[in-house]
Amino acid sequence: MTQATPPRVEPDAGPDLAFASQWRLMWLRFRRHRLAMVAGVVLLVLYFGAVFCEIIAPLGAGQRHRSYVLCPPQEVRLVDAAGDFHFRPFLYGVKQRGNPSDWLREYVVDTSVVYPIHFFTRGPEYEMWGLFATNWHLFGADEGAPLFLFGTDELGRDLFTRILYGSRISLTIGLVGVALTFFIGILLGGVAGYFGGWIDIIVQRGIEIIMAIPQLPLWMALSAALPAHWPPLHVYFGITIILSFMGWTGLARVVRGKFLTMRDEDFVVAARLAGTHELKIIFTHLLPSFLSHVITSATLAVPGMILGETALSFLGIGLQDPVVSWGVLLQKAQNFQAVVMAPWLLLPGLFVVFAVLAFNIVGDGMRDAADPYAN
Amino acid sequence: MRDPVTNERHGAEPLLEVLDLRVRIERDTGLVHPLNGVSFRIQEGQSVGIVGESGCGKTMASNALLRILPRRAEITHGSMQFRTQAGDRIDLAQLDPMSRRMRQIRGGEISMIFQEPMTAFSPVHTVHDQIAEMIRLHDPGADKEEQHRRVVELLDQVGIPDPEQRAFDYSFQLSGGMRQRAMIAMALASGPRLLIADEPTTALDVTVQARVLKLIERMQRELNLALMLITHDLGVVAHMVSYVYVMYLGRVVEEGPVEAIFDNPKHPYTAALLRSIPNLASKSRRLEPIEGNVPSADRLPTGCPFHTRCTEKVGDICQQRMPARVELSVGHAVSCFRYTEESLDDG
Amino acid sequence: MAELAADTILRVEGLKKHFPVRRGLLQRVVGSVKAVDDVSFSVQQGRTLGLVGESGCGKTTTGRMILRALDPTAGQVWFRQSDGQVVDMAALRGAEIKQARRDMQMIFQDPYSSLNPRMPVMDLIAEPLRARGWTRPDCESRVAELMDLVGLDARMIRRYPHAFSGGQRQRIGIARALALKPSLIVADEPVSALDVSVQAQILNLLQALQQDLGLTLVFIAHDLSVVRYLCDQVAVMYQGRIVEQGESEALFTAPRHPYTATLLQAAPAPDPHVPWMQDIDETETEAGDTTAPVELVDGTTAAGGCAFVPRCAHATDLCRQQGPILMPGSTRESQVQYGAAHLAACHHQDELQLRGI
């Protein structure tokens, strides 16, 4: 009787895995999560846009084009009306006319006027990161060209430009807010979990009370309390603090729970027996053990912040018009008529959905990768 | 004294005959082969032990039998012929795991008791409800009163005191040993002919373990059950079964009547394992450990799975080919080149 | 004051650990679990004491109190440091504890949970050294030396624990315990989480290390065969108390407490010809749990008798009324036969004919 050949030896996972630290193992796991990788790229693109919005945006955020009010999105073309292909992208001009049937304003493409698109060109002047003035743009067209990729609002401002500028505030409010949340959460959760006793009880009850308050009314009350004369930047930070004040409770609970369970883990006891100082145990054993979980929770908390800002601004109690954020932009889409006549005003909402989804998916992937030592 | 059944030449057709069973699991990191051609058989009313260390595939074998393999595992080869109550032979490997037939066999003809009884019981139903459910599945004709009578009878049978009362406890209200008894009662409720016990007492203290094992032994005898006892504990095997299969890395390396295995182990692994465990009864003997570690199932050695740790290798052939199974005496077989003719030619 | 016989390294006296039981909304203390209740024993330099018992009997708690990983409720733990000074671990504080732990260390049961998976072997083994200010190069050479000592390839120094098997991880744990050249090691079930074929490697390693380094070992285990293989003396615990104590050979061959005899009977030998469970009735159920019962503050449930009564086949009225104390046999024969060092907490230790192995 002959025995079948044994199954082939699988290729070795590679000896370098033996030297792989926690973060490397997590990265290897995260990488296997396809969707999360895609979402991660989406986030990178969005944040890239937020950081370099002045350069990428072809126009100025507050720049009004009086002859193009509520102009629909315009197409960048490579093929002209005659069917010929051009290497340089171009735009056709737009003519405004009154629709004879309903007397509403209407824009029609005027193929007789051609605006070529230039790359790395000069355009409206701006101050880069508040540091120096320049007028370089990634792309642009000649003065007067209807370069409105996402259309314009009722004041004739380019929505694409404004969405880019808005992402700076909407996306950073989440990060700054979560950083604050992170700080408060780890501090209070850590103190509660580490010291226990009555400190723990006070923090716990505090968390429960805050969690029991309905969010929206509290937000509204707190933002109403922000002085009306504050400059936009102060309002921005005020809103962030309000959001994080509501948001830290979940994180504090996670941290407290982790502290409680980790405190009596064998390897922590072992470190104590080895004579390692308590503070060092916290920083070399406890924190690294659940930092990945905390970062995951934080990532999953960012969308809440983004949505919070959007909701507040949408309701008109968050940021106000001269400041540009996705929520402020969506305010324009508040009435039904505007949506029917200019549906592109809803585009900022699409960006909110994209960003929130991407954060949630990335957070999900991180959660799967957070504990590379399970089984 | 039980009859030392020689598994090979038994007159009657076996209750269960597993032939060359192979299982493959797909992992993110690649394929894993927990079972690489396992064969064993169990006669009606016979107690068989499957012994091995972690990763040897013993639990995988029982899960394959019941078709409760993990999600990404599949049976790639082999058959599992089971003779049903009605007398017909079916190949469990061919059944759909979710089919009605398989469910009938799983809950009815083959029962299982687990290492951790907590997981076998639902915490939101009483012990009574859960055992009655098993009775109902097996015998839909039984009315409420009949079910209750049988539940109490079963609990009494497995030595639970005051069964009328205890029946209405939840599983978490019972002590470890009691819970294990209740689980045995539940496993017996469907009137199985084969009982699979997967490390049934590993989580228990030694005195509780002893009593639970004695209970299993008694039930097996009284109900003429076939018992498939899966364990890593050689002490338990020595006293509980009549026939032993020794597994290593997804293969049976030696099989035989329990006395033959313990008195006269032939495979270097079996022999080394017996030399490496301390025996309460003898103090002086120094332990001879098996060097090295059990290779992980995703990096199986070529040839004989034990060659990486074997001190009695015949030659290069050990790492090149898998030795064939050789029957040394009635019912005692081993897969090792020390006993094959191939190796004699070779050497 | 510290009185320790010259050859003794550790003496535990009247050690207790009571965990409060809290109930209700205000978490009021309604009673206590006497996890360890009045335990005393001593260990001589270079010997091995086995602490045996079933889960919940208090053996692990006792071991942790010796190292002061847990604070005792009462009692003393006299320990002779390598500088000759005798200290009471139970009374030390802060820096003194750290000083004493230079000479006493622990090996854990679970080689997975006791090693921080985020640290490479180098950092794990060097942790006690780093805590005492060793420089990195010094640590590195000492770690390599230790890895060699416990049979690990020193080239694996930069690897993380996930690259090691259970047995190898346990070697890492042992190397770490030995880093500061302690004189006393408390080993808490060091092989019970390992594969059968690997257990012997670790047992032999412990034995060799003990002989080569002159270590004293407190070996906590539930597996009697392992204890018999490794230990010179054995103390059997039941519900927080020691019920029998003596030289290993005497205790195993001629037990004086019915519980010891039960344990010996219940353990199945890996040999089908050795009788098993002759005296144990399977239908006898788990009446007495091995875990210590909750004792209420008002003392209502404080039973006076021997804790083993519910499971004892030899119990009499005396046993039910009065708790026995741990002492040597009182008759002359028993003294001669077992020696004065063989103690049992049983009223009937002189009359009972218990079966050993």
Side-chain angles (χ1 to χ4, degrees):
Chain A
M1 184 181 146
T2 55
Q3 297 284 325
T5 50
R8 290 191 57 86
V9 181
E10 298 303 326
D12 204 324
D16 57 319
L17 217 55
F19 305 98
S21 70
Q22 174 192 10
W23 302 105
R24 188 166 154 66
L25 288 176
M26 281 170 60
W27 168 240
L28 290 175
R29 265 204 182 197
F30 183 79
R31 233 174 39 182
R32 288 211 298 267
H33 200 307
R34 287 269 169 72
L35 196 58
M37 285 298 284
V38 172
V41 171
V42 169
L43 281 184
L44 283 181
V45 168
L46 285 176
Y47 274 96
F48 185 82
V51 171
F52 298 104
C53 66
E54 292 98 335
I55 303 177
I56 297 169
L59 301 164
Q63 199 181 352
R64 294 179 184 192
H65 304 269
R66 288 179 207 289
S67 46
Y68 298 114
V69 170
L70 286 177
C71 172
Q74 294 303 307
E75 203 181 332
V76 174
R77 298 161 199 263
L78 286 169
V79 180
D80 64 20
D84 292 332
F85 180 84
H86 300 263
F87 276 107
R88 178 173 291 282
F90 64 93
L91 283 164
Y92 282 128
V94 166
K95 263 198 309 216
Q96 203 183 114
R97 68 158 196 223
N99 188 328
S101 62
D102 54 9
W103 295 104
L104 287 177
R105 192 171 28 214
E106 200 179 70
Y107 291 94
V108 285
V109 172
D110 176 7
T111 52
S112 63
V113 189
V114 173
Y115 296 102
I117 288 183
H118 305 286
F119 291 94
F120 301 103
T121 179
R122 289 178 191 280
E125 189 155 296
Y126 57 87
E127 208 160 290
M128 187 66 194
W129 296 337
L131 295 177
F132 54 90
T134 174
N135 58 3
W136 281 102
H137 289 262
L138 180 64
F139 65 99
D142 294 338
E143 187 72 36
L147 182 51
F148 309 125
L149 299 180
F150 290 168
T152 62
D153 64 8
E154 83 287 353
L155 295 175
R157 294 176 296 197
D158 175 34
L159 200 57
F160 176 75
T161 300
R162 288 174 69 76
I163 286 179
L164 272 174
Y165 275 84
S167 68
R168 180 170 280 180
I169 284 193
S170 292
L171 290 176
T172 51
I173 210 163
L175 289 193
V176 175
V178 159
L180 254 171
T181 303
F182 213 78
F183 179 75
I184 309 177
I186 288 189
L187 190 74
L188 286 178
V191 164
Y194 192 76
F195 291 104
W198 60 269
I199 298 179
D200 185 27
I201 292 176
I202 289 176
V203 174
Q204 283 274 84
R205 296 300 95 82
I207 290 175
E208 280 153 18
I209 289 169
I210 291 181
M211 281 185 145
I213 301 174
Q215 289 219 349
L216 206 58
L218 185 74
W219 278 348
M220 294 174 77
L222 286 174
S223 22
L226 293 180
H229 56 81
W230 270 15
L233 200 68
H234 286 188
V235 177
Y236 168 78
F237 280 114
I239 299 280
T240 317
I241 289 167
I242 291 169
L243 290 175
S244 12
F245 181 69
M246 296 297 301
W248 64 273
T249 50
L251 205 64
R253 279 196 166 173
V254 173
V255 172
R256 172 184 172 272
K258 288 284 172 194
F259 252 106
L260 278 181
T261 49
M262 305 293 305
R263 216 171 41 172
D264 297 323
E265 278 283 310
D266 273 356
F267 70 80
V268 177
V269 174
R272 217 167 274 149
L273 290 180
T276 309
H277 195 273
E278 283 297 326
L279 261 179
K280 195 167 179 209
I281 291 180
I282 293 179
F283 283 105
T284 57
H285 289 285
L286 292 175
L287 276 178
S289 302
F290 61 77
L291 201 61
S292 55
H293 292 272
V294 173
I295 292 175
T296 304
S297 310
T299 309
L300 289 169
V302 174
M305 297 275 171
I306 295 178
L307 289 174
E309 182 275 325
T310 311
L312 284 183
S313 303
F314 180 79
L315 292 174
I317 48 175
L319 299 165
Q320 297 293 344
D321 198 335
V323 180
V324 189
S325 82
W326 289 346
V328 171
L329 295 180
L330 277 175
Q331 236 181 308
K332 301 282 188 290
Q334 250 179 8
N335 71 63
F336 182 67
Q337 212 171 356
V339 172
V340 172
M341 281 176 48
W344 55 90
L345 289 180
L346 282 172
L347 277 171
L350 204 62
F351 277 81
V352 173
V353 170
F354 266 130
V356 167
L357 259 182
F359 264 112
N360 274 326
I361 293 169
V362 167
D364 207 42
M366 280 167 67
R367 181 162 45 202
D368 291 349
D371 192 0
Y373 304 108
N375 65 67
Chain B
M1 194 65 206
R2 271 168 281 132
D3 182 29
V5 186
T6 62
N7 236 24
E8 285 300 297
R9 313 274 153 81
H10 201 268
E13 222 177 284
L15 176 67
L16 173 75
E17 180 161 30
V18 173
L19 269 180
D20 203 18
L21 187 67
R22 285 149 202 258
V23 168
R24 186 176 74 186
I25 304 180
E26 237 179 274
R27 292 252 170 84
D28 292 335
T29 45
L31 293 178
V32 182
H33 301 267
L35 292 183
N36 299 303
V38 170
S39 304
F40 60 90
R41 53 172 76 193
I42 302 174
Q43 307 289 349
E44 203 142 347
Q46 188 193 21
S47 57
V48 164
I50 297 197
V51 202
E53 300 175 86
S54 64
C56 76
K58 54 192 195 297
T59 295
M60 198 58 73
S62 73
N63 289 353
L65 262 182
L66 292 174
R67 304 301 303 276
I68 47 172
L69 287 170
R71 202 161 43 89
R72 292 166 81 185
E74 61 168 330
I75 298 173
T76 53
H77 188 261
S79 65
M80 302 186 284
Q81 297 287 342
F82 182 74
R83 193 155 46 77
T84 63
Q85 192 107 52
D88 43 344
R89 285 167 60 103
I90 45 172
D91 185 356
L92 301 179
Q94 302 299 328
L95 287 182
D96 174 4
M98 310 304 255
S99 66
R100 202 178 136 74
R101 193 72 198 271
M102 194 62 230
R103 283 206 315 271
Q104 278 170 343
I105 289 173
R106 207 183 286 138
E109 306 221 12
I110 307 179
S111 273
M112 182 149 177
I113 47 184
F114 301 89
Q115 175 174 348
E116 188 32 75
M118 213 52 179
T119 55
F121 284 105
S122 152
V124 296
H125 294 111
T126 61
V127 169
H128 181 281
D129 285 354
Q130 294 179 66
I131 297 178
E133 173 73 18
M134 293 304 294
I135 294 172
R136 200 157 48 237
L137 282 177
H138 179 62
D139 178 10
D143 59 14
K144 286 257 180 235
E145 260 171 59
E146 168 72 5
Q147 285 171 16
H148 177 70
R149 195 186 58 72
R150 296 248 291 268
V151 169
V152 172
E153 187 185 294
L154 274 165
L155 291 178
D156 187 48
Q157 239 180 344
V158 297
I160 288 182
D162 201 5
E164 286 276 0
Q165 298 301 315
R166 288 285 84 78
F168 296 100
D169 278 354
Y170 291 90
S171 60
F172 55 83
Q173 291 172 300
L174 303 173
S175 72
M178 283 296 180
R179 217 178 286 140
Q180 203 66 330
R181 284 170 192 265
M183 181 159 72
I184 294 171
M186 186 157 83
L188 298 178
S190 59
R193 292 187 305 142
L194 171 61
L195 183 66
I196 302 177
D198 187 358
E199 304 269 7
T201 55
T202 304
L204 301 175
D205 278 324
V206 61
T207 54
V208 185
Q209 156 175 299
R211 286 194 294 263
V212 169
L213 289 176
K214 278 282 164 184
L215 167 67
I216 293 176
E217 196 178 45
R218 179 169 60 94
M219 299 318 294
Q220 189 234 339
R221 207 172 47 238
E222 284 178 6
L223 304 171
N224 193 33
L225 286 171
L227 173 69
M228 176 173 157
L229 179 72
I230 297 167
T231 181
H232 70 279
D233 189 329
L234 290 164
V236 169
V237 166
H239 298 279
M240 287 291 292
V241 302
S242 58
Y243 197 84
V244 179
Y245 291 89
V246 182
M247 285 184 68
Y248 188 78
L249 280 181
R251 287 204 163 88
V252 173
V253 293
E254 183 166 5
E255 59 179 273
V258 65
E259 289 83 5
I261 294 286
F262 282 88
D263 297 347
N264 196 10
K266 290 297 186 191
H267 196 282
Y269 173 63
T270 318
L273 202 57
L274 284 167
R275 281 196 306 268
S276 76
I277 52 171
N279 188 343
L280 192 53
S282 59
K283 162 85 182 170
S284 53
R285 193 172 55 90
R286 190 171 160 75
L287 299 183
E288 297 170 40
I290 305 179
E291 290 310 328
N293 301 287
V294 182
S296 97
D298 54 1
R299 266 172 257 165
L300 289 178
T302 55
C304 170
F306 189 58
H307 85 256
T308 57
R309 304 170 77 188
C310 188
T311 53
E312 299 171 58
K313 280 200 290 276
V314 174
D316 289 343
I317 191 169
C318 291
Q319 57 208 65
Q320 286 158 358
R321 270 188 295 157
M322 178 65 203
R325 177 177 177 278
V326 181
E327 191 164 346
L328 300 172
S329 58
V330 179
H332 189 178
V334 64
S335 295
C336 175
F337 282 117
R338 285 164 54 83
Y339 307 97
T340 59
E341 279 164 25
E342 291 171 84
S343 62
L344 297 180
D345 303 342
D346 211 57
Chain C
M1 249 329 278
E3 308 152 26
L4 219 50
D7 60 344
T8 305
I9 184 165
L10 176 76
R11 200 177 81 220
V12 170
E13 253 177 40
L15 199 62
K16 292 183 183 180
K17 181 71 189 177
H18 296 179
F19 291 106
V21 176
R22 295 169 195 275
R23 295 239 170 89
L25 191 67
L26 298 171
Q27 296 290 291
R28 240 163 13 105
V29 176
V30 293
S32 60
V33 174
K34 298 187 171 180
V36 174
D37 199 21
D38 202 5
V39 162
S40 306
F41 58 83
S42 57
V43 192
Q44 285 154 331
Q45 186 99 45
R47 302 200 82 199
T48 303
L49 170 77
L51 271 183
V52 190
E54 295 177 285
S55 54
C57 73
K59 55 189 194 296
T60 295
T61 310
T62 304
R64 296 207 168 193
M65 282 194 289
I66 293 175
L67 287 152
R68 196 61 191 283
L70 274 176
D71 292 335
T73 307
Q76 288 93 44
V77 179
W78 298 110
F79 172 63
R80 188 190 305 280
Q81 294 181 169
S82 56
D83 57 9
Q85 200 191 339
V86 175
V87 293
D88 177 8
M89 280 304 285
L92 295 184
R93 35 186 99 243
E96 298 166 335
I97 297 180
K98 186 171 168 182
Q99 169 71 27
R101 282 189 192 141
R102 185 187 285 272
D103 299 322
M104 55 179 4
Q105 274 298 323
M106 176 154 174
I107 299 171
F108 289 81
Q109 171 177 9
D110 184 347
Y112 289 84
S113 70
S114 60
L115 300 178
N116 188 344
R118 290 157 192 85
M119 286 186 173
V121 176
M122 161 74 198
D123 293 354
L124 285 168
I125 299 180
E127 195 167 25
L129 306 171
R130 302 286 297 172
R132 283 165 180 81
W134 285 48
T135 62
R136 228 183 140 74
D138 285 353
C139 282
E140 194 148 341
S141 61
R142 174 71 178 141
V143 169
E145 194 180 300
L146 284 163
M147 288 177 78
D148 196 47
L149 184 68
V150 299
L152 285 172
D153 187 343
R155 282 172 304 180
M156 300 198 274
I157 195 164
R158 304 253 171 261
R159 295 193 182 199
Y160 284 84
H162 63 252
F164 294 89
S165 67
Q168 290 172 321
R169 281 168 184 242
Q170 201 55 297
R171 288 175 196 265
I172 297 173
I174 293 172
R176 170 200 174 95
L178 294 175
L180 292 165
K181 303 187 178 171
S183 47
L184 175 75
I185 295 264
V186 175
D188 187 2
E189 304 251 19
V191 297
S192 63
L194 303 177
D195 261 329
V196 186
S197 72
V198 179
Q199 290 191 1
Q201 293 175 10
I202 300 298
L203 289 177
N204 282 356
L205 173 66
L206 282 173
Q207 206 173 41
L209 288 172
Q210 186 192 16
Q211 280 155 13
D212 297 348
L213 308 175
L215 289 173
T216 308
L217 216 61
V218 174
F219 189 85
I220 299 166
H222 70 278
D223 186 338
L224 294 166
S225 57
V226 169
V227 170
R228 177 150 205 228
Y229 179 66
L230 210 65
C231 299
D232 307 309
Q233 290 168 293
V234 180
V236 181
M237 289 186 71
Y238 185 76
Q239 290 195 1
R241 289 166 180 269
I242 293 179
V243 294
E244 183 167 1
Q245 186 180 338
E247 291 295 307
S248 168
E249 270 322 287
L251 191 133
F252 281 119
T253 51
R256 312 254 308 146
H257 193 286
Y259 179 61
T260 313
T262 308
L263 282 181
L264 291 170
Q265 289 294 312
D271 182 345
H273 304 292
V274 174
W276 175 59
M277 294 264 302
Q278 285 171 319
D279 300 340
I280 293 180
D281 180 8
E282 166 253 309
T283 51
E284 176 210 334
T285 51
E286 289 71 38
D289 221 326
T290 43
T291 321
V294 174
E295 196 156 295
L296 296 181
V297 169
D298 57 15
T300 44
T301 55
C306 171
F308 192 58
V309 162
R311 295 174 66 181
C312 187
H314 315 282
T316 60
D317 283 343
L318 174 64
C319 303
R320 275 179 272 275
Q321 283 150 15
Q322 197 184 330
I325 50 169
L326 189 66
M327 57 181 202
S330 51
T331 62
R332 214 186 119 60
E333 295 95 287
S334 64
Q335 301 254 349
V336 171
Q337 194 178 348
Y338 304 111
H342 193 159
L343 317 172
C346 177
H347 292 302
H348 304 293
Q349 59 169 311
D350 293 328
E351 307 123 52
L352 292 177
Q353 294 294 316
L354 296 170
R355 190 201 301 262
I357 38 125

